[in-house]
Amino acid sequence: DTAVSQTPKYLVTQMGNDKSIKCEQNLGHDTMYWYKQDSKKFLKIMFSYNNKELIINETVPNRFSPKSPDKAHLNLHINSLELGDSAVYFCASRMGLAGVSEQFFGPGTRLTVL
Amino acid sequence: ELKVEQNPLFLSMQEGKNYTIYCNYSTTSDRLYWYRQDPGKSLESLFVLLSNGAVKQEGRLMASLDTKARLSTLHITAAVHDLSATYFCAVGEGSGAGSYQLTFGKGTKLSVIP
C-alpha cells in the first residue's frame, strides 16, 4: 500500500499552460507539504497545510495555488507555467500532533515545461 | 534564516573504505534528519536524531548529533556499491503542527566504486 502517492509521475507541457498535481496520503497524518527539487537536487519547502489550513507559504509566486479538500489530500495547481517551473515536486506528510515526527515523501512529479 | 551546509557535496569512495559526511547548521535546533535519495526516486528516511549526543546505527551507516557544535555526521563503514545514492540532512524548526518544517542541505552524492 502506497503511503504518500502523487499523480502524475511525469508532466510535460508548454509554457503558459495551467496544470495540476495531486497528492494523497493514507497514513492518517494531519499535516502535508509541497517541496520543489531543482535541477541541482536542492530541496525547498513551498507550502504546508495542517488540517486543510494553509500554514506555510514560502515566497512562492502566486501562480502556484495549493488546495486541500481534506486532511488526506493536497493538490498543487500551477497557472501560466514558465520554463523555471521545471523541477521535481514532492508531496510529504507527517503527524503534526506528534511533535517532531518524521516526514514521509511521495514519489515525486517531474514537471518539464517546454 | 536557517542555513544547512553539507560537505562534501560529491564523494567517490572505494568499496570497503570508511568515510564521514558532515552537516553543519546555523541554529540551536536539536532535530536532525537524514534522508537517502536514489536517482529518480523519492526520499527515504534513514535517521531521526532528537537530542544532543544522539547516535543511531543501521547497517553500515551511523548518524550522530552534537547540538552544541551544531553538527551532525553520517559515518559510512566498509562501503558497498548499494550505498551509492544522494544523502540529505535536514534540520527541523517550528513549534506548531503545520509550522514545523525541514530545511535541507544540498545533499551529498555518494558513489561507491569497486
Side-chain angles (χ1 to χ4, degrees):
Chain A
D1 287 341
T2 303
V4 184
S5 59
Q6 293 177 230
T7 54
K9 189 169 175 61
Y10 300 96
L11 188 51
V12 181
T13 188
Q14 300 284 337
M15 277 176 56
N17 284 349
D18 303 338
K19 290 293 178 186
S20 292
I21 306 171
K22 295 186 176 183
C23 177
E24 177 182 0
Q25 53 94 5
N26 63 6
L27 298 167
H29 291 165
D30 60 358
T31 304
M32 297 183 72
Y33 303 82
W34 277 111
Y35 287 86
K36 178 180 180 180
Q37 186 173 45
D38 63 23
S39 58
K40 295 184 178 178
K41 304 294 184 188
F42 184 55
L43 266 162
K44 188 167 171 58
I45 189 169
M46 300 174 70
F47 302 102
S48 81
Y49 269 74
N50 176 254
N51 284 323
K52 303 190 298 177
E53 182 183 348
L54 177 65
I55 304 296
I56 294 174
N57 181 345
E58 286 284 324
T59 59
V60 177
N62 57 16
R63 297 182 296 105
F64 290 78
S65 53
K67 281 189 174 54
S68 181
D70 55 58
K71 284 196 308 183
H73 296 85
L74 179 60
N75 304 323
L76 183 65
H77 188 76
I78 315 170
N79 289 327
S80 303
L81 279 155
E82 299 177 358
L83 293 177
D85 297 333
S86 295
V88 181
Y89 293 85
F90 286 100
C91 176
S93 73
R94 61 183 282 269
M95 179 53 78
L97 291 175
V100 297
S101 60
E102 64 187 292
Q103 290 184 17
F104 293 85
F105 284 79
T109 296
R110 182 175 293 275
L111 171 65
T112 303
V113 183
L114 303 175
Chain B
E1 181 188 343
L2 170 59
K3 293 193 186 308
V4 182
E5 292 186 358
Q6 279 182 245
N7 69 84
L9 297 182
F10 298 93
L11 177 55
S12 181
M13 56 190 298
Q14 283 189 311
E15 281 190 329
K17 298 292 187 184
N18 304 333
Y19 209 83
T20 300
I21 299 170
Y22 297 88
C23 176
N24 289 93
Y25 55 96
S26 61
T27 70
T28 56
S29 176
D30 57 359
R31 309 164 190 176
L32 198 294
Y33 305 78
W34 284 96
Y35 286 86
R36 169 181 171 147
Q37 186 179 34
D38 291 296
K41 302 292 186 182
S42 185
L43 283 85
E44 174 192 355
S45 178
L46 294 175
F47 300 107
V48 180
L49 304 168
L50 300 176
S51 62
N52 186 39
V55 177
K56 292 197 174 179
Q57 182 162 6
E58 180 74 34
R60 300 173 188 275
L61 300 177
M62 184 173 71
S64 66
L65 178 61
D66 180 344
T67 58
K68 293 179 182 176
R70 302 180 188 178
L71 170 69
S72 179
T73 61
L74 181 66
H75 186 72
I76 303 153
T77 302
V80 293
H81 180 70
D82 284 352
L83 290 180
S84 297
T86 298
Y87 293 85
F88 291 93
C89 67
V91 176
E93 57 178 347
S95 55
S99 65
Y100 188 77
Q101 64 177 18
L102 299 183
T103 300
F104 282 81
K106 291 186 176 181
T108 297
K109 185 172 182 180
L110 171 66
S111 299
V112 181
I113 51 180

